[in-house]
Structure formats: structure tokens, C-alpha cells
Amino acid sequence: MKHDFSGIGMTSARTRGRMVERLRQQGIRNEEVLGVMANTPRHIFIDEALSHRAYDDVSLPIGQGQTISQPYIVARMVELAAGAARRDKVLEVGTGCGYQTVVLAQLFKTVYSVERLAQLLDKARQRLRDLRISNSRLRHGDGFVGIAEAAPFDAIIMAAAPTYVPEALLGQLAVGGRMIFPIGNVDQELRIIERTEAGFIETKLEKVRFVPMLPGLA
């Protein structure tokens, strides 16, 4: 799904281009993912007071004790998700400000996204409407539960760190699908679980730092 966001907001395409070059230097290789990152206006998803840092490689607060992940982490996780056998449906656990949702919406046919914090979800919905993103399905819900009725998903991306792998989410992963997630409490690492006909294959990737994943609604 193609979108042209070049006229939105105050931050130039040149600034986004510098971010993309940094992502290349950090090891992101998928040119389609890099193109989407270059096209997506990250600055409109954060407070105006912080917008001058929007394309720095840092996570930034978005309220409610949550953050927007640094561009490298978004690109890394999305690149892994885009390598799934199909790109029909992706489940995002933790809508947050909606930035990663918009990135995913340009790569997958349909994005399902669940967020436990109603206030964040309302703001994300408005941003997606403003950007005319029509292939996303946002829900106020518990990320540990997922969205069973929309399963199976070709990819699942978790934007917060649980201390264990949620069984419900594994059950919603399609054969040939990939789940990309951080895990841990103080010491966290990024992992990928791939579902094959024979079962699940889990691989440890790199050290990361995410907000904790909490159950329930707020």
C-alpha cells in the first residue's frame, strides 16, 4: 500500500534521508523497509516540544509511561516481520502512538493492532485517520490475549517486553509466520519465533530495552 506523506509536517525529506543512511550503517538491508521509513513522518507522532529529536536514534516519551521506539529498533523488527512467508495480516501488540502501525500498514495488506491504554489508542486512531490509513484495525485490548478471531497472523510484533512468551499469541501465529518480540525484565533481548509445520523455532538476537508488557486494560 503506497502513501505519500512528503507534504506532512515541518520535517524535510532530507532529515529522514539522513536517518535512513544511519539505518543502513546499522545493518538494515531491506530497501522496501528503508523506503517506508524514509516516507513516514515520525515527528507527527510525538510531542511538538520533542519533534526536533524525532529522527535521532533514540526512544522518546509519548505519555502514559510509554515510549516510541528508536528508529533502528522499529526498522529491525519490521525487517524481520517482512521476511515472513506471507504479508497478508500482521498483529502489532502495543499500538502506542501509531508510528509503527503506519510503517507496517505500508508493507502488509492488513494491520491489526491492540493497545491496553485507551488514551493512547484514541490519539493513534486520530493520527491514522489524518494520514488516511485505511488498512489498519485498532482495538482496545489485552496484548497477552491478542485478537484470536482475526488469526492466524503472518507476523506478530510486540512493542513491549513480557517476562514470558504468551501462549495465546503463539497459537495465533500462522505456519510460515514470525513473531518478533523483546523479552525480559531488567536484562532484555530481542527474539524471533518462527512457526514451521514441525513446530516453533526460537532464536535469540540482540540486547534491547523496552517498557514492560502489562496485562489488562487501562
Side-chain angles (χ1 to χ4, degrees), residues 16 23 26 29 32 37 40 65 68 70 108 118 122 135-136 174 178 181 184 196 212:
R16 294 180 213 165
L23 292 173
Q26 291 172 304
R29 295 286 175 259
E32 191 177 4
M37 296 285 287
T40 305
I68 179 174
Q70 67 192 91
F108 285 80
D122 289 345
N135 62 328
S136 62
R178 293 178 162 192
F181 62 103
T196 70

Short mmCIF file of all heavy atoms in Angstrom, two decimals, residues 16 23 26 29 32 37 40 65 68 70 108 118 122 135-136 174 178 181 184 196 212:
data_model
loop_
_atom_site.label_atom_id
_atom_site.label_comp_id
_atom_site.label_asym_id
_atom_site.label_seq_id
_atom_site.Cartn_x
_atom_site.Cartn_y
_atom_site.Cartn_z
N ARG A 16 14.86 12.86 7.00
CA ARG A 16 14.52 11.44 7.00
C ARG A 16 15.57 10.64 6.23
O ARG A 16 15.89 9.51 6.59
CB ARG A 16 13.14 11.23 6.37
CG ARG A 16 12.01 11.83 7.17
CD ARG A 16 10.67 11.58 6.48
NE ARG A 16 9.75 12.69 6.73
CZ ARG A 16 8.65 12.91 6.05
NH1 ARG A 16 8.31 12.11 5.06
NH2 ARG A 16 7.86 13.94 6.35
N LEU A 23 20.42 4.04 9.35
CA LEU A 23 19.87 2.69 9.48
C LEU A 23 20.64 1.70 8.60
O LEU A 23 20.90 0.56 9.02
CB LEU A 23 18.39 2.69 9.09
CG LEU A 23 17.45 3.43 10.05
CD1 LEU A 23 16.04 3.51 9.47
CD2 LEU A 23 17.42 2.76 11.42
N GLN A 26 23.70 0.80 10.30
CA GLN A 26 23.44 -0.06 11.45
C GLN A 26 23.05 -1.48 11.05
O GLN A 26 22.81 -2.32 11.91
CB GLN A 26 22.34 0.56 12.31
CG GLN A 26 22.78 1.84 13.02
CD GLN A 26 21.61 2.54 13.71
OE1 GLN A 26 20.60 2.87 13.09
NE2 GLN A 26 21.74 2.76 15.00
N ARG A 29 18.96 -3.87 5.84
CA ARG A 29 19.26 -4.17 4.44
C ARG A 29 18.03 -4.14 3.52
O ARG A 29 18.19 -4.00 2.31
CB ARG A 29 19.91 -5.56 4.33
CG ARG A 29 21.27 -5.63 5.01
CD ARG A 29 22.33 -4.91 4.21
NE ARG A 29 23.62 -4.87 4.90
CZ ARG A 29 24.08 -3.81 5.56
NH1 ARG A 29 23.35 -2.71 5.61
NH2 ARG A 29 25.25 -3.85 6.15
N GLU A 32 12.90 -1.99 0.83
CA GLU A 32 11.48 -1.64 0.93
C GLU A 32 11.18 -1.06 2.31
O GLU A 32 10.48 -0.05 2.44
CB GLU A 32 10.62 -2.87 0.66
CG GLU A 32 9.16 -2.55 0.49
CD GLU A 32 8.32 -3.77 0.14
OE1 GLU A 32 8.86 -4.89 0.10
OE2 GLU A 32 7.11 -3.59 -0.06
N MET A 37 10.39 3.74 5.87
CA MET A 37 10.88 4.57 6.98
C MET A 37 11.18 5.99 6.50
O MET A 37 10.92 6.97 7.20
CB MET A 37 12.14 3.95 7.58
CG MET A 37 11.93 2.58 8.24
SD MET A 37 11.10 2.64 9.83
CE MET A 37 12.39 3.30 10.89
N THR A 40 7.77 7.95 6.10
CA THR A 40 6.83 8.08 7.22
C THR A 40 7.25 9.21 8.16
O THR A 40 8.35 9.19 8.70
CB THR A 40 6.73 6.75 7.99
OG1 THR A 40 6.40 5.70 7.06
CG2 THR A 40 5.66 6.81 9.06
N GLY A 65 3.56 6.78 30.51
CA GLY A 65 4.70 5.92 30.83
C GLY A 65 5.21 5.10 29.66
O GLY A 65 6.00 4.17 29.86
N ILE A 68 7.94 5.88 22.16
CA ILE A 68 8.06 5.49 20.76
C ILE A 68 9.46 4.93 20.60
O ILE A 68 10.45 5.54 21.03
CB ILE A 68 7.82 6.68 19.81
CG1 ILE A 68 7.98 6.27 18.35
CG2 ILE A 68 8.70 7.87 20.15
CD1 ILE A 68 7.62 7.36 17.35
N GLN A 70 13.09 3.67 19.23
CA GLN A 70 14.08 4.32 18.37
C GLN A 70 13.95 3.79 16.95
O GLN A 70 13.54 2.64 16.72
CB GLN A 70 15.49 4.07 18.91
CG GLN A 70 15.94 2.62 18.84
CD GLN A 70 17.20 2.37 19.63
OE1 GLN A 70 17.14 2.03 20.81
NE2 GLN A 70 18.35 2.52 18.99
N PHE A 108 2.18 -4.51 4.81
CA PHE A 108 1.25 -5.64 4.95
C PHE A 108 -0.12 -5.26 4.43
O PHE A 108 -0.52 -4.09 4.48
CB PHE A 108 1.15 -6.07 6.41
CG PHE A 108 2.33 -6.85 6.91
CD1 PHE A 108 3.50 -6.20 7.30
CD2 PHE A 108 2.31 -8.23 6.98
CE1 PHE A 108 4.60 -6.90 7.76
CE2 PHE A 108 3.40 -8.95 7.43
CZ PHE A 108 4.55 -8.29 7.82
N ALA A 118 -6.32 3.16 26.72
CA ALA A 118 -7.34 3.77 25.87
C ALA A 118 -6.96 5.17 25.39
O ALA A 118 -7.24 5.54 24.25
CB ALA A 118 -8.67 3.83 26.63
N ASP A 122 -6.80 6.25 21.42
CA ASP A 122 -7.63 7.31 20.82
C ASP A 122 -6.77 8.26 19.99
O ASP A 122 -7.15 8.66 18.87
CB ASP A 122 -8.37 8.09 21.91
CG ASP A 122 -9.49 7.29 22.55
OD1 ASP A 122 -9.89 6.25 21.98
OD2 ASP A 122 -9.94 7.68 23.64
N ASN A 135 -6.07 0.51 6.05
CA ASN A 135 -5.91 -0.94 6.18
C ASN A 135 -5.44 -1.35 7.58
O ASN A 135 -4.76 -2.36 7.75
CB ASN A 135 -4.94 -1.47 5.13
CG ASN A 135 -3.54 -0.89 5.25
OD1 ASN A 135 -3.37 0.26 5.66
ND2 ASN A 135 -2.53 -1.68 4.90
N SER A 136 -5.79 -0.54 8.59
CA SER A 136 -5.45 -0.88 9.97
C SER A 136 -6.73 -1.13 10.77
O SER A 136 -7.76 -0.49 10.52
CB SER A 136 -4.64 0.23 10.63
OG SER A 136 -5.39 1.42 10.68
N ALA A 174 0.59 -17.94 12.19
CA ALA A 174 0.41 -18.84 11.06
C ALA A 174 1.65 -19.69 10.83
O ALA A 174 2.77 -19.29 11.18
CB ALA A 174 0.10 -18.04 9.80
N ARG A 178 6.14 -15.35 11.63
CA ARG A 178 7.21 -14.95 12.54
C ARG A 178 6.66 -14.07 13.65
O ARG A 178 5.87 -13.15 13.38
CB ARG A 178 8.27 -14.14 11.78
CG ARG A 178 9.05 -14.93 10.75
CD ARG A 178 10.02 -14.02 10.02
NE ARG A 178 11.07 -14.78 9.34
CZ ARG A 178 12.16 -14.26 8.82
NH1 ARG A 178 12.35 -12.94 8.90
NH2 ARG A 178 13.06 -15.02 8.24
N PHE A 181 9.79 -10.17 19.16
CA PHE A 181 9.42 -9.62 20.47
C PHE A 181 10.64 -9.45 21.37
O PHE A 181 11.60 -10.22 21.29
CB PHE A 181 8.41 -10.55 21.14
CG PHE A 181 8.95 -11.93 21.42
CD1 PHE A 181 9.35 -12.29 22.71
CD2 PHE A 181 9.07 -12.88 20.42
CE1 PHE A 181 9.85 -13.56 22.97
CE2 PHE A 181 9.58 -14.15 20.66
CZ PHE A 181 9.96 -14.50 21.95
N GLY A 184 12.05 -10.18 28.84
CA GLY A 184 12.92 -9.99 29.99
C GLY A 184 12.45 -8.86 30.89
O GLY A 184 11.55 -8.09 30.53
N THR A 196 6.89 -23.44 11.99
CA THR A 196 7.01 -24.34 10.86
C THR A 196 5.97 -25.44 10.98
O THR A 196 5.26 -25.54 11.99
CB THR A 196 8.41 -24.97 10.81
OG1 THR A 196 8.54 -25.91 11.91
CG2 THR A 196 9.51 -23.92 10.93
N PRO A 212 7.92 -2.47 30.02
CA PRO A 212 7.36 -3.79 30.33
C PRO A 212 5.97 -3.96 29.73
O PRO A 212 5.20 -2.99 29.61
CB PRO A 212 7.31 -3.81 31.86
CG PRO A 212 7.29 -2.38 32.27
CD PRO A 212 8.09 -1.65 31.24
#
